[in-house]
Amino acid sequence: MQKISALAPAALRDGAREPADQAAANPAVKNLFLVMQGCYGSLFLSKFATGVLDDQGRDLGVRAAMRVWRTTLAKYTPDVIESAVARLTAEHPDYPPHLPQFEAMCRAATPRRTHAEEHGWLALPAPNAAPVHVQIEPQGDGKDWARRIVARVQAGDQTLTRAAIRAAMQALGMEGWPR
């Protein structure tokens, strides 16, 4: 990875010779510069302006800055850059951010990956737990809750805690552990 300080002189030197297809390679950065100019006006452009113009009347300093920003932000998807652009005025209401600040905004806007995704592990399938339906005859003695728990255990439901099973068995006066 190249450092920004190494990119800047080359970008300034080659700014006028930049091919048109490369300038259109990342429209998100061009949009970023347009939004920053619109939001911050000359405060943003004066950071980069050199006064040296190319054949089309564009400032070489601004073109070089755009190239440096495009190279640095190339690792982010256009969606991430657009998301960071949307948060510009909220996070920097008074002044335009410089490149490291904007890159930090892009890192914050990048969707997070799980540990398994980072290591390329396959996700486990969703559990296939069918609900257990238990039919009991209500006795009206206040122990129907315990009968429902015991019936669920006998039907093979393994989602109940040992404490719940033990309490139900004690309430019904049952001995031992269900099989």
Side-chain angles (χ1 to χ4, degrees), residues 14-21 23 30 51-60 63 66:
D14 300 335
R17 295 190 310 253
E18 184 174 6
D21 60 336
K30 186 174 183 176
V52 179
L53 303 178
D54 64 5
D55 298 338
Q56 297 162 345
R58 296 178 296 197
D59 190 283
L60 289 180
R63 303 229 348 131
M66 190 180 290

Side-chain angles (χ1 to χ4, degrees), residues 102-120:
F102 189 78
E103 190 176 9
M105 291 172 65
C106 288
R107 275 193 306 273
T110 301
R112 303 299 183 242
R113 293 175 40 186
T114 64
H115 183 74
E117 289 172 337
E118 287 177 358
H119 293 335

Side-chain angles (χ1 to χ4, degrees), residues 10-169:
L12 190 57
R13 182 180 61 248
D14 300 335
R17 295 190 310 253
E18 184 174 6
D21 60 336
Q22 204 172 25
N26 195 345
V29 174
K30 186 174 183 176
N31 183 38
L32 165 66
F33 269 64
L34 289 173
V35 169
M36 290 239 244
Q37 180 183 2
C39 290
Y40 304 109
S42 63
L43 184 61
F44 174 68
L45 290 179
S46 65
K47 284 180 151 187
F48 309 114
T50 60
V52 179
L53 303 178
D54 64 5
D55 298 338
Q56 297 162 345
R58 296 178 296 197
D59 190 283
L60 289 180
V62 174
R63 303 229 348 131
M66 190 180 290
R67 189 173 193 187
V68 170
W69 282 56
R70 184 175 48 250
T71 303
T72 302
L73 299 177
K75 58 188 162 209
Y76 301 105
T77 64
D79 292 341
V80 169
I81 294 172
E82 291 296 328
S83 179
V85 167
R87 297 186 351 223
L88 261 177
T89 55
E91 292 190 25
H92 297 278
D94 299 327
Y95 61 91
H98 49 72
L99 181 56
Q101 288 173 323
F102 189 78
E103 190 176 9
M105 291 172 65
C106 288
R107 275 193 306 273
T110 301
R112 303 299 183 242
R113 293 175 40 186
T114 64
H115 183 74
E117 289 172 337
E118 287 177 358
H119 293 335
W121 298 341
L122 296 176
L124 292 175
N128 188 11
V132 176
H133 298 287
V134 176
Q135 295 291 334
I136 63 165
E137 290 292 322
Q139 300 293 321
D141 61 356
K143 297 181 183 177
D144 290 339
W145 65 271
R147 287 185 193 88
R148 280 192 295 272
I149 290 176
V150 170
R152 284 175 60 188
V153 170
Q154 290 171 346
D157 188 355
Q158 297 181 355
T159 61
L160 297 163
T161 64
R162 295 173 70 93
I165 296 169
R166 188 175 323 123
M169 291 179 71

